[in-house]
Amino acid sequence: SVTLSDSKIQLYKGNSAFLTCAVTDTSGNYIDTSATYKSDNLSVAKVSTQGKIVAVGPGEATITVKAKGISKTCKVIVRPQKVSGIKTISRTKNSIQLKWKKQSNISKYQILMYDKDLGEYTVVKSVNGKPISPHFFSLHFIVNTEFH
């Protein structure tokens, strides 16, 4: 059988990761064999003959690995680099206005909120990029209570 180290990899533009391939016989013994790696979207992710994936630009790509006539795939999601230089313009109890410099070749920004209880980020708002710099965004919060 053919097994990949990952079925899904998320990277930021400019970062890299390795995708490894293991081939075993019916007894579970590892077989020393070569594998080929191919990206279906080179503008998003490139992959070397050794499985090194380089995140080229935002988007999605599928890496196909072929060994012993068997193909397996890994989905690669490349996120844009995090926005830097975010500044708070104004803040009230229920709203915040943010300012940042627009990145080139980015058409949409996502505002995320981290929930430390769940340990994950949630998309609060998506903002279309405009051909101006700096970019402004206002977010209004409404907090509801819930009875159990």
Side-chain angles (χ1 to χ4, degrees):
S1 73
V2 175
T3 307
L4 298 181
S5 57
D6 297 280
S7 60
K8 180 178 171 182
I9 296 175
Q10 292 190 46
L11 297 168
Y12 284 102
K13 180 182 173 184
N15 291 3
S16 63
F18 274 93
L19 179 64
T20 59
C21 174
V23 181
T24 55
D25 61 20
T26 55
S27 300
N29 299 313
Y30 288 98
I31 300 170
D32 186 18
T33 187
S34 64
T36 59
Y37 295 82
K38 184 178 179 183
S39 173
D40 74 340
N41 192 341
L42 296 174
S43 65
V44 172
K46 293 181 180 180
V47 63
S48 73
T49 58
Q50 301 300 313
K52 181 179 181 181
I53 299 169
V54 177
V56 178
E60 293 184 9
T62 300
I63 305 297
T64 302
V65 183
K66 189 172 184 178
K68 290 286 187 187
I70 300 170
S71 294
K72 296 285 183 169
T73 60
C74 175
K75 182 178 182 177
V76 177
I77 299 169
V78 177
R79 304 219 182 273
Q81 292 177 337
K82 291 181 181 179
V83 174
S84 60
I86 298 173
K87 294 180 181 174
T88 301
I89 302 302
S90 66
R91 182 186 316 181
T92 67
K93 183 178 176 183
N94 296 323
S95 70
I96 188 168
Q97 185 179 40
L98 305 173
K99 172 184 171 181
W100 65 86
K101 185 177 178 184
K102 185 180 183 317
Q103 294 180 7
S104 62
N105 299 324
I106 301 297
S107 60
K108 184 179 274 190
Y109 296 88
Q110 290 183 324
I111 310 301
L112 303 163
M113 181 176 65
Y114 184 73
D115 185 327
K116 63 181 175 181
D117 293 330
L118 296 175
E120 63 185 33
Y121 288 92
T122 303
V123 175
V124 176
K125 180 85 174 174
S126 291
V127 180
N128 289 327
K130 297 177 183 174
I132 61 170
S133 183
H135 194 79
F136 290 94
F137 169 73
S138 294
L139 179 64
H140 299 279
F141 298 96
I142 298 174
V143 180
N144 293 325
T145 57
E146 186 175 308
F147 294 99
H148 294 282

